[in-house]
Amino acid sequence: MSRIGGAQPVPQGDYVAARRHGGLIYTAGMTPRQDGRMMYHGPVRTGEVEAQREAVILACANALRAAEATLSGQEEIAAILTLTVYVAAEAGFTEHSRVADFASAFLRERLGARGICSRCAVGVASLPGNAPVEIQLVAAV
């Protein structure tokens, strides 16, 4: 089992961090917060993709922690089914997939083949709390 440690993400509004229905887990959008505090800020700028690595990893780790918190006993995530990475990018930014690659690599590193999934990278004008990225995933138990 490869559950990751650390504090559970705290919802910043009237919602839950993750919801399980049967064998599926849906997470809320997770930003790069630690102990409720935004650790990185947007927007993502052209030529600064590598500078977003830690922000993406933190947001993805928060999503994975939220999903794992719905597991009981010896259950584990069988597969990440899909990953959506929202990127708060400056106008003209075109490297959304490169930003999302950090999340894909994190999931593959943590879960092996179970972490390889379909993915969507979406550019947006802004995100809650001025986050540079927001990550949402769907997992199977």
Side-chain angles (χ1 to χ4, degrees):
M1 192 173 306
S2 66
R3 294 189 188 176
I4 59 176
Q8 291 299 313
V10 177
Q12 302 296 304
D14 190 14
Y15 62 93
V16 295
R19 178 73 180 231
R20 180 173 173 177
H21 182 76
L24 295 176
I25 303 167
Y26 295 83
T27 71
M30 296 290 164
T31 55
R33 290 181 186 271
Q34 188 170 0
D35 300 321
R37 193 173 125 236
M38 188 68 69
M39 302 303 293
Y40 301 90
H41 297 88
V44 178
R45 302 189 185 286
T46 300
E48 297 179 5
V49 171
E50 185 61 36
Q52 301 305 317
R53 179 185 301 272
E54 294 304 315
V56 173
I57 289 171
L58 179 54
C60 195
N62 285 339
L64 186 56
R65 267 194 291 277
E68 289 177 338
T70 70
L71 301 174
S72 61
Q74 295 299 310
E75 289 183 320
E76 65 180 10
I77 291 176
I80 302 297
L81 301 176
T82 189
L83 170 70
T84 304
V85 179
Y86 300 93
V87 181
E90 69 179 356
F93 185 81
T94 61
E95 299 176 280
H96 306 82
S97 289
R98 287 191 54 216
V99 174
D101 282 343
F102 298 133
S104 295
F106 172 81
L107 291 171
R108 186 176 54 254
E109 176 185 310
R110 290 292 179 168
L111 302 172
R114 298 176 299 136
I116 300 169
C117 62
S118 65
R119 183 183 84 189
C120 183
V122 181
V124 297
S126 66
L127 288 168
N130 193 30
V133 297
E134 183 170 0
I135 292 179
Q136 188 270 334
L137 58 82
V138 178
V141 178

